[in-house]
Amino acid sequence: MQDTLQLSISKTPNSRVENLDYHNIQFAREYSDHMLLADFKGGEWQNFRIEPYGNLSISPANPAIHYGQSIFEGLKAYKHEDGKISVFRPKANYDRMNVSAERMVMPHIPEEIFMDGLTELLKLDHKWVPDVEGTSLYIRPFMFATDEFIGVRPSQDFTFMIITTPVGAYYTNPVKVRVETHYTRAVKGGTGFAKTAGNYAASLYPAKLAQNDGYDQLIWTDGQNHELIEESGTMNIMFIINDALVTAPTGDTILDGITRNSVLALAKDWGYKVEERPLSVTELVESLKTGTLKEAFGVGTAATIAPIAVIANDGIDYTLDESGRVFSQKMLKELTDIRLGRSEDKFGWNYFV
Ligand SMILES: *Cc1c(COP(=O)(O)O)cnc(C)c1O
């Protein structure tokens, strides 16, 4: 086992990093020079390696393609002013990935494959971590089934990989969202808490309908009565109502976001009133009408904090005043400052490579 987990590194002779324009980075247009891979075969992890980024060759009978036995994570690396590179809370992503793996009948990923693999990959591709304000290197770990068998059953073989891509801002403008009361993202007993492929595939159609009507994203509500607020798109959602930070409790229909967790920890640390409780659409609309709702924002790795400008419900657009964005702006600044080493990292969130 020890021997088989030796990391072998094959470097590209043709780095593409010189073509990267650090001042003009959009979201995930180019992938870094290398990728990390490890295979789970015959009940063991093996073939732990870094290779030049490139296409894969897989069987047409691959069960991940047919049945979606596939999971992923998303995290970011930042370059500090002194040139050091840190990743934000990677151990939390590692733990969550194994939660997803268990739900999807996939093998536990050893910490050394995820953490040591990530560290070595970032050392090799450190030039791909951009240092311009608002940019970072997005890291995408994922694992998928690799059996050559189209019967429906859990695969026996899997591949774990990490690829990385420089990113700028995910949303460049405050977002317009619509409360979804027909389609459902996640149900009790389902897979909503796991970062697994099918959740995202199923969300594309309702999101597209909202986009056709001029909205950026949806606010998902509970699958039973469409009455409780759950998430927004692929972000957790938070509100400032009166003087409290309000967000839905996590459970099997809500993904346990690391950004969500970080925002709650900082808010509590600041002495802010935090309410993790169910929030109904009725209360949301009431607070929009009476003006007690001061801010609404999505929280997630890709966007960090995405201020919401418009919330639509039942055909009515409610506009949130830009001047109200006090908490979310302060939080975005603090998170950014911690990640870049400008503010004290009192929770030990930065992992240096
Ligand atoms: C990834 C994700 C989030 C945000 O999680 P972070 O750990 O903060 O990036 C929220 N909701 C869904 C559905 C997600 O897939």
mmCIF file of all heavy atoms in Angstrom, residues 74 96 185 195 200 231 233-236 255 257-260 299-301, ligand 1:
data_model
loop_
_atom_site.group_PDB
_atom_site.id
_atom_site.type_symbol
_atom_site.label_atom_id
_atom_site.label_comp_id
_atom_site.label_asym_id
_atom_site.label_seq_id
_atom_site.Cartn_x
_atom_site.Cartn_y
_atom_site.Cartn_z
ATOM 1 N N GLY A 74 -14.898 22.002 -4.858
ATOM 2 C CA GLY A 74 -14.427 23.256 -5.428
ATOM 3 C C GLY A 74 -13.794 24.080 -4.328
ATOM 4 O O GLY A 74 -14.396 24.264 -3.263
ATOM 5 N N ARG A 96 -15.663 16.837 3.300
ATOM 6 C CA ARG A 96 -16.970 16.842 2.635
ATOM 7 C C ARG A 96 -16.972 15.898 1.433
ATOM 8 O O ARG A 96 -17.972 15.257 1.137
ATOM 9 C CB ARG A 96 -17.335 18.268 2.207
ATOM 10 C CG ARG A 96 -18.742 18.355 1.651
ATOM 11 C CD ARG A 96 -19.163 19.793 1.421
ATOM 12 N NE ARG A 96 -18.378 20.416 0.365
ATOM 13 C CZ ARG A 96 -18.392 21.731 0.119
ATOM 14 N NH1 ARG A 96 -19.113 22.541 0.865
ATOM 15 N NH2 ARG A 96 -17.670 22.231 -0.860
ATOM 16 N N ARG A 185 -34.749 21.100 -6.296
ATOM 17 C CA ARG A 185 -33.333 20.711 -6.381
ATOM 18 C C ARG A 185 -33.050 19.445 -5.590
ATOM 19 O O ARG A 185 -32.334 18.554 -6.029
ATOM 20 C CB ARG A 185 -32.427 21.836 -5.845
ATOM 21 C CG ARG A 185 -30.942 21.599 -6.101
ATOM 22 C CD ARG A 185 -30.051 22.560 -5.330
ATOM 23 N NE ARG A 185 -29.747 22.069 -4.011
ATOM 24 C CZ ARG A 185 -28.710 21.281 -3.711
ATOM 25 N NH1 ARG A 185 -27.872 20.900 -4.649
ATOM 26 N NH2 ARG A 185 -28.517 20.869 -2.482
ATOM 27 N N LYS A 195 -22.042 16.698 -3.168
ATOM 28 C CA LYS A 195 -21.704 17.375 -4.423
ATOM 29 C C LYS A 195 -21.573 16.294 -5.491
ATOM 30 O O LYS A 195 -20.473 15.847 -5.813
ATOM 31 C CB LYS A 195 -20.403 18.175 -4.262
ATOM 32 C CG LYS A 195 -20.623 19.560 -3.666
ATOM 33 C CD LYS A 195 -19.343 20.352 -3.599
ATOM 34 C CE LYS A 195 -19.371 21.597 -4.473
ATOM 35 N NZ LYS A 195 -20.225 22.671 -3.950
ATOM 36 N N TYR A 200 -26.687 18.719 -10.247
ATOM 37 C CA TYR A 200 -26.422 19.886 -11.081
ATOM 38 C C TYR A 200 -27.099 19.719 -12.443
ATOM 39 O O TYR A 200 -27.658 20.669 -12.984
ATOM 40 C CB TYR A 200 -24.907 20.144 -11.145
ATOM 41 C CG TYR A 200 -24.416 20.282 -9.719
ATOM 42 C CD1 TYR A 200 -24.073 19.157 -8.966
ATOM 43 C CD2 TYR A 200 -24.471 21.511 -9.066
ATOM 44 C CE1 TYR A 200 -23.757 19.257 -7.616
ATOM 45 C CE2 TYR A 200 -24.159 21.616 -7.720
ATOM 46 C CZ TYR A 200 -23.803 20.482 -6.995
ATOM 47 O OH TYR A 200 -23.521 20.580 -5.665
ATOM 48 N N GLU A 231 -31.616 27.139 -0.956
ATOM 49 C CA GLU A 231 -30.340 27.656 -1.463
ATOM 50 C C GLU A 231 -30.623 28.540 -2.666
ATOM 51 O O GLU A 231 -31.756 28.629 -3.140
ATOM 52 C CB GLU A 231 -29.443 26.495 -1.926
ATOM 53 C CG GLU A 231 -29.090 25.523 -0.821
ATOM 54 C CD GLU A 231 -27.843 24.720 -1.169
ATOM 55 O OE1 GLU A 231 -26.808 25.326 -1.501
ATOM 56 O OE2 GLU A 231 -27.919 23.482 -1.102
ATOM 57 N N GLY A 233 -29.263 28.751 -6.508
ATOM 58 C CA GLY A 233 -28.391 28.166 -7.517
ATOM 59 C C GLY A 233 -27.473 27.156 -6.860
ATOM 60 O O GLY A 233 -27.921 26.233 -6.194
ATOM 61 N N THR A 234 -26.169 27.352 -7.005
ATOM 62 C CA THR A 234 -25.203 26.470 -6.351
ATOM 63 C C THR A 234 -24.505 27.203 -5.209
ATOM 64 O O THR A 234 -23.346 26.968 -4.916
ATOM 65 C CB THR A 234 -24.163 25.953 -7.364
ATOM 66 O OG1 THR A 234 -23.526 27.093 -7.951
ATOM 67 C CG2 THR A 234 -24.800 25.129 -8.442
ATOM 68 N N MET A 235 -25.265 28.081 -4.576
ATOM 69 C CA MET A 235 -24.728 28.794 -3.413
ATOM 70 C C MET A 235 -25.705 28.635 -2.254
ATOM 71 O O MET A 235 -26.899 28.467 -2.458
ATOM 72 C CB MET A 235 -24.607 30.295 -3.713
ATOM 73 C CG MET A 235 -23.603 30.636 -4.803
ATOM 74 S SD MET A 235 -23.502 32.428 -5.064
ATOM 75 C CE MET A 235 -25.078 32.778 -5.810
ATOM 76 N N ASN A 236 -25.190 28.744 -1.044
ATOM 77 C CA ASN A 236 -26.078 28.901 0.100
ATOM 78 C C ASN A 236 -26.584 30.340 0.062
ATOM 79 O O ASN A 236 -25.997 31.195 -0.593
ATOM 80 C CB ASN A 236 -25.330 28.621 1.411
ATOM 81 C CG ASN A 236 -24.889 27.161 1.506
ATOM 82 O OD1 ASN A 236 -23.705 26.861 1.444
ATOM 83 N ND2 ASN A 236 -25.833 26.254 1.651
ATOM 84 N N LEU A 255 -26.703 21.864 0.932
ATOM 85 C CA LEU A 255 -25.282 21.573 0.955
ATOM 86 C C LEU A 255 -24.583 22.373 2.059
ATOM 87 O O LEU A 255 -24.836 23.564 2.221
ATOM 88 C CB LEU A 255 -24.649 21.888 -0.396
ATOM 89 C CG LEU A 255 -23.259 21.257 -0.465
ATOM 90 C CD1 LEU A 255 -23.198 20.188 -1.521
ATOM 91 C CD2 LEU A 255 -22.205 22.294 -0.636
ATOM 92 N N GLY A 257 -22.100 24.313 3.019
ATOM 93 C CA GLY A 257 -21.069 25.122 2.370
ATOM 94 C C GLY A 257 -19.984 25.581 3.330
ATOM 95 O O GLY A 257 -20.249 25.935 4.473
ATOM 96 N N ILE A 258 -18.763 25.594 2.831
ATOM 97 C CA ILE A 258 -17.622 26.023 3.637
ATOM 98 C C ILE A 258 -17.607 27.552 3.731
ATOM 99 O O ILE A 258 -17.235 28.118 4.757
ATOM 100 C CB ILE A 258 -16.322 25.434 3.055
ATOM 101 C CG1 ILE A 258 -16.386 23.902 3.215
ATOM 102 C CG2 ILE A 258 -15.084 25.996 3.744
ATOM 103 C CD1 ILE A 258 -15.505 23.136 2.276
ATOM 104 N N THR A 259 -18.064 28.215 2.679
ATOM 105 C CA THR A 259 -18.190 29.671 2.747
ATOM 106 C C THR A 259 -19.274 30.034 3.761
ATOM 107 O O THR A 259 -19.085 30.926 4.604
ATOM 108 C CB THR A 259 -18.542 30.258 1.361
ATOM 109 O OG1 THR A 259 -17.740 29.608 0.376
ATOM 110 C CG2 THR A 259 -18.301 31.745 1.314
ATOM 111 N N ARG A 260 -20.383 29.328 3.708
ATOM 112 C CA ARG A 260 -21.470 29.522 4.679
ATOM 113 C C ARG A 260 -20.939 29.381 6.103
ATOM 114 O O ARG A 260 -21.140 30.252 6.944
ATOM 115 C CB ARG A 260 -22.571 28.477 4.416
ATOM 116 C CG ARG A 260 -23.700 28.465 5.435
ATOM 117 C CD ARG A 260 -24.617 27.245 5.202
ATOM 118 N NE ARG A 260 -25.737 27.228 6.132
ATOM 119 C CZ ARG A 260 -25.666 26.802 7.397
ATOM 120 N NH1 ARG A 260 -24.506 26.374 7.874
ATOM 121 N NH2 ARG A 260 -26.725 26.832 8.170
ATOM 122 N N VAL A 299 -23.688 32.730 -0.922
ATOM 123 C CA VAL A 299 -22.327 32.472 -0.448
ATOM 124 C C VAL A 299 -21.839 31.119 -0.962
ATOM 125 O O VAL A 299 -22.513 30.111 -0.828
ATOM 126 C CB VAL A 299 -22.216 32.541 1.101
ATOM 127 C CG1 VAL A 299 -22.579 33.925 1.607
ATOM 128 C CG2 VAL A 299 -23.071 31.508 1.795
ATOM 129 N N GLY A 300 -20.662 31.129 -1.570
ATOM 130 C CA GLY A 300 -20.086 29.901 -2.108
ATOM 131 C C GLY A 300 -18.691 30.186 -2.613
ATOM 132 O O GLY A 300 -18.322 31.355 -2.790
ATOM 133 N N THR A 301 -17.917 29.153 -2.840
ATOM 134 C CA THR A 301 -16.522 29.327 -3.231
ATOM 135 C C THR A 301 -16.359 30.117 -4.527
ATOM 136 O O THR A 301 -15.520 31.003 -4.614
ATOM 137 C CB THR A 301 -15.844 27.952 -3.370
ATOM 138 O OG1 THR A 301 -15.816 27.358 -2.080
ATOM 139 C CG2 THR A 301 -14.427 28.072 -3.900
HETATM 140 C C1 LIG B 1 -20.621 23.871 -3.550
HETATM 141 C C2 LIG B 1 -22.000 24.312 -3.207
HETATM 142 C C3 LIG B 1 -22.267 25.335 -2.280
HETATM 143 C C4 LIG B 1 -21.190 26.181 -1.667
HETATM 144 O O1 LIG B 1 -20.273 25.470 -0.915
HETATM 145 P P1 LIG B 1 -18.831 26.109 -0.627
HETATM 146 O O2 LIG B 1 -18.151 25.072 0.163
HETATM 147 O O3 LIG B 1 -19.060 27.357 0.128
HETATM 148 O O4 LIG B 1 -18.219 26.365 -1.951
HETATM 149 C C5 LIG B 1 -23.578 25.597 -1.952
HETATM 150 N N1 LIG B 1 -24.591 24.916 -2.517
HETATM 151 C C6 LIG B 1 -24.389 23.954 -3.429
HETATM 152 C C7 LIG B 1 -25.547 23.243 -4.013
HETATM 153 C C8 LIG B 1 -23.088 23.631 -3.816
HETATM 154 O O5 LIG B 1 -22.882 22.699 -4.739
#
